[in-house]
Amino acid sequence: LTGHHHMPGQGDVMADNPVLVALNQQLDCYQRLAKLARTQHEHVQHSRTEELLLILSQRQTLLAEVAEPDEIVALAKQGWQDFLNTLCAEDRCAAESLLRKTRGLLADIAASDLKDSIVLQQRKFKLGREINQTTAARKFNRQYAAAAYGQPRSALDRQS
C-alpha cells in the first residue's frame, strides 16, 4: 500500500491493521474529494450549473464512501498515542504521514468551498440587486406613464 518493506514471515502490519487500512482509504477519498473541489471551483467560476450539480452529487457519493474509514480513524484518534505505541517505527511514521496529508487536504477542500460559497453569495446578492432595480424601474415607468398620460382606463371604460 505505501511501499514499506518487511522481513519475510513478519506479516504485513500495514495491511493487517484496520486503522492503517482506514487511514489509506481516507487519504484516497480525500484526494478524490480535493480533485472534485478543484473542478467544482471551475464550474462555480464559469456559472456551469448543470456540471456543478453533477460534481456535488459525486462529492456526496465520496462522502458516503469515506464515512466508515472516518469512523475507524476517529475512534483511533481518541487513544492516538496508545495506538501509535503499538506500531513499529515505520508504520508509526506512515500513520502520522497519512493523517497529516489528510488534514492538509481537508483544509484545502474547506478553503476552496469557502471561496465558492463567497462567489455564490456575491452572485445571489448581485442578482437580488438587479431584480430590485428592475422592479423599481417598472414601478417608475408605471408612475411616469400615469402622470404623463393619465390613469390607464379599465376594460369597462373602453367598451362604452
Side-chain angles (χ1 to χ4, degrees), residues 81-136:
Q81 198 53 54
D82 292 334
F83 165 69
L84 289 177
N85 292 338
T86 67
L87 301 175
C88 68
E90 203 170 355
D91 284 343
R92 193 175 314 125
C93 285
E96 289 176 321
S97 172
L98 289 165
L99 194 60
R100 191 171 40 256
K101 288 176 185 172
T102 297
R103 281 187 181 143
L105 287 168
L106 275 167
D108 292 348
I109 292 165
S112 180
D113 284 352
L114 180 61
K115 285 180 198 168
D116 289 346
S117 70
I118 290 169
V119 168
L120 292 170
Q121 283 293 327
Q122 288 172 338
R123 208 171 281 155
K124 179 180 166 187
F125 177 74
K126 182 179 177 218
L127 183 62
R129 197 174 57 225
E130 288 170 1
I131 288 170
N132 288 339
Q133 287 170 348
T134 302
T135 303

Side-chain angles (χ1 to χ4, degrees), residues 138-139 141-159:
R138 281 189 186 143
K139 185 176 179 186
N141 287 342
R142 278 195 306 273
Q143 289 171 340
Y144 176 81
Y149 306 110
Q151 291 294 324
R153 295 183 307 172
S154 72
L156 283 174
D157 290 342
R158 276 180 258 152
Q159 287 175 352

Side-chain angles (χ1 to χ4, degrees), residues 16 58 101 110 140 151-152:
D16 293 342
Q58 291 170 335
K101 288 176 185 172
F140 172 80
Q151 291 294 324

